[in-house]
Amino acid sequence: MEPINVLLIDDEEAFVTTLAERMELRGFVPRVALNGQAGLDLIEAEKPDIVILDLRMPGMSGAEVLRHIQARWSDLPVIILSGHGSEQDLAMCMDLGASLFLSKPLEIDTLLSSIKSVLKRD
Amino acid sequence: MGLITAQSMHEMQNILAIIHESAGLLGDILKVNAKVDFKHRPKMESTLGHIFSQVHRGKSLLHATSRLAHAPDDDLLESCDLAVYSTIGVQLSERMARLRGSEVAFTPPTEAQPVRTGALNVLMSVYHGLYWATSGPTHNQAVAVTVAKAGSDRIVRVTAPAAAAPDVAALDHPRLLLGPDRVVLQGRELNLVFPALT
């Protein structure tokens, strides 16, 4: 199976770098961005297979990042991974074109099987 | 209320996520080195197990507290899903019941149960129902909570332990009476009756 290139966008460095290490141990190819603009720059430089995006970030919010992604790379799937989520947040993200909304903390196997499911890979 | 408390709860979720991922990475490292002889392996694995179960416990509590905080923002002041908010009410009351000597045995409903009562009133009446059920000596027996349909009503039934003698005066609390259409006491069973939303 071809390795899956994943871009993780989250301002919590301790969380996102640890998650990236765990994904790497499982054969994924993760990159990390600590804010929305850095994430968009990384997509521009090399488009990943999928984006895992936090909702609440300083500066550009996850929703704004999602809007930019939909406008420029509409075929790029995005999974929202948030520590916060009212019903309104969930509805907004799905309306903006997110593929899935997951709450953290979550089991890494749940995240990885969700990625494979969204990308339709076994 | 959700807007005010959201920031702290978001922070707590992030903190739990960091703890969870960090413990997960330690677990991954143990697994990758499974063939290396390490005398503290069983202790590390059991300690990691404790961390994961406490993170899970914290996550459930935070989720319940977040739903409570967001109830006004989510337009749940006039009606709500009794299945969801009775579950959250029990989750947020379990510590109180434990401190008063009783565990709560709750069977969450599997179907949605919309009622013409706001989420906050459901939560308060469930809390005070459990408070009543644990107001006498419980002898470490469980309080049972179930949700049932009765015609066009939906009932949260709180059953005090067999050896208990709940304080009838605790039934006069206004928060207990604010939510349900009526409160019916039958022996050890306190029935909080809510009108279904049709």
Side-chain angles (χ1 to χ4, degrees):
Chain A
M1 189 188 78
E2 255 188 62
I4 297 174
N5 287 281
V6 183
L7 175 61
L8 304 166
I9 307 177
D10 193 310
D11 64 306
E12 284 284 354
E13 187 170 1
F15 169 74
V16 74
T17 53
T18 308
L19 179 58
E21 283 192 62
R22 299 188 73 198
M23 292 180 81
E24 210 166 342
L25 281 171
R26 287 159 172 82
F28 287 71
V29 182
R31 285 180 296 160
V32 166
L34 300 181
N35 62 67
Q37 188 58 58
L40 293 173
D41 292 343
L42 284 177
I43 298 171
E44 183 77 55
E46 184 184 334
K47 191 175 159 205
D49 295 314
I50 190 164
V51 174
I52 311 299
L53 176 62
D54 187 21
L55 208 51
R56 296 276 191 271
M57 294 185 290
M60 195 185 289
S61 69
E64 285 178 76
V65 173
L66 185 50
R67 277 193 200 96
H68 279 285
I69 291 174
Q70 286 299 307
R72 295 170 65 185
W73 304 282
S74 58
D75 60 339
L76 177 57
V78 178
I79 293 177
I80 303 293
L81 182 57
S82 179
H84 177 86
S86 64
E87 299 285 336
Q88 290 150 334
D89 284 335
L90 168 61
M92 174 193 67
C93 289
M94 302 317 283
D95 284 345
L96 285 174
S99 301
L100 204 54
F101 187 108
L102 298 172
S103 295
K104 51 179 167 177
L106 84 167
E107 294 304 322
I108 191 163
D109 292 334
T110 302
L111 174 61
L112 300 185
S113 63
S114 298
I115 289 172
K116 288 177 183 171
S117 174
V118 166
L119 293 175
K120 294 185 173 46
R121 296 209 205 168
D122 294 320
Chain B
M1 189 159 62
L3 293 172
I4 292 169
T5 57
Q7 305 308 322
S8 300
M9 280 194 262
H10 185 209
E11 279 285 87
M12 280 304 305
Q13 293 280 27
N14 277 332
I15 289 166
L16 284 180
I18 290 167
I19 294 169
H20 185 261
E21 285 313 308
S22 301
L25 183 57
L26 289 175
D28 290 347
I29 292 168
L30 280 178
K31 274 195 194 127
V32 161
N33 293 284
K35 292 186 180 150
V36 173
D37 189 27
F38 174 45
K39 74 172 185 178
H40 299 295
R41 180 183 300 278
K43 190 66 182 171
M44 277 200 69
E45 284 170 348
S46 88
T47 303
L48 286 173
H50 293 320
I51 292 173
F52 290 130
S53 72
Q54 294 307 313
V55 166
H56 181 75
R57 183 180 167 205
K59 183 180 175 182
S60 295
L61 273 172
L62 272 177
H63 176 74
T65 311
S66 179
R67 294 298 291 266
L68 161 65
H70 277 289
D73 307 326
D74 288 340
D75 195 24
L76 294 167
L77 293 174
E78 304 291 331
S79 63
C80 72
D81 182 352
L82 189 64
V84 170
Y85 285 91
S86 59
T87 303
I88 291 171
V90 167
Q91 281 178 304
L92 293 175
S93 308
E94 278 174 327
R95 180 169 168 78
M96 176 272 293
R98 208 177 307 124
L99 287 172
R100 289 157 72 83
S102 189
E103 296 291 328
V104 182
F106 177 59
T107 311
T110 51
E111 293 175 339
Q113 308 274 4
V115 293
R116 277 189 290 112
T117 307
L120 295 178
N121 287 343
V122 168
L123 288 169
M124 284 190 287
S125 58
V126 168
Y127 179 90
H128 285 284
L130 282 166
Y131 191 88
W132 163 80
T134 56
S135 58
T138 59
H139 304 288
N140 294 316
Q141 291 179 346
V143 175
V145 181
T146 54
V147 179
K149 289 183 190 178
S152 62
D153 290 329
R154 303 291 178 263
I155 300 173
V156 175
R157 181 165 295 133
V158 182
T159 307
D167 182 6
V168 175
L171 291 175
D172 282 338
H173 198 291
R175 294 294 184 207
L176 175 66
L177 305 171
L178 200 60
D181 254 6
R182 39 188 204 291
V183 174
V184 179
L185 180 63
Q186 290 174 312
R188 289 185 296 114
E189 273 182 8
L190 183 68
N191 295 286
L192 308 173
V193 184
F194 300 91
L197 181 68
T198 48

